[in-house]
Amino acid sequence: PTYLSQIGSLSFYFCSALTSIEIPSGVSSIGSSAFSYCSLLENVVFRGTKSPSFSGSIFLSTKVTSVKVTPIIWTHYFVIIQLLFFMND
């Protein structure tokens, strides 16, 4: 939903049925381990122009290897690198 502004810590923790997610543009923060241990999660799309803040390993123990950002703007490349770095600590 477009009114979603944050995804809290552990929101989808161990959600084994989750295979893909689309994070709406209104999300400004993603909490620690929000998607960790979603073992089938592979595809992540972020639809926004401002990078969300995040903490901890939000994609720990998932199949996520990249995050698609649309629309692509240069500041997102840094966020993608951060997300990948913290995915599978």
Side-chain angles (χ1 to χ4, degrees):
T2 56
Y3 55 85
L4 183 65
S5 65
Q6 60 183 313
I7 298 171
S9 296
L10 305 172
S11 292
F12 295 93
Y13 191 74
F14 268 106
C15 184
S16 60
L18 194 61
T19 60
S20 65
I21 56 171
E22 184 174 310
I23 301 170
S25 61
V27 172
S28 60
S29 68
I30 301 173
S32 179
S33 296
F35 300 99
S36 291
Y37 296 97
C38 296
S39 58
L40 298 178
L41 179 59
E42 190 168 4
N43 301 306
V44 178
V45 176
F46 174 68
R47 303 223 179 256
T49 56
K50 184 176 180 190
S51 305
S53 64
F54 60 92
S55 60
S57 300
I58 59 176
F59 296 113
L60 181 67
S61 292
T62 67
K63 293 182 178 182
V64 176
T65 57
S66 65
V67 176
K68 182 179 179 183
V69 179
T70 58
I72 294 288
I73 58 174
W74 288 106
T75 56
H76 288 307
Y77 287 111
F78 179 69
V79 171
I80 291 169
I81 291 168
Q82 285 181 315
L83 289 172
L84 291 174
F85 180 75
F86 288 109
M87 274 192 294
N88 293 306
D89 291 353

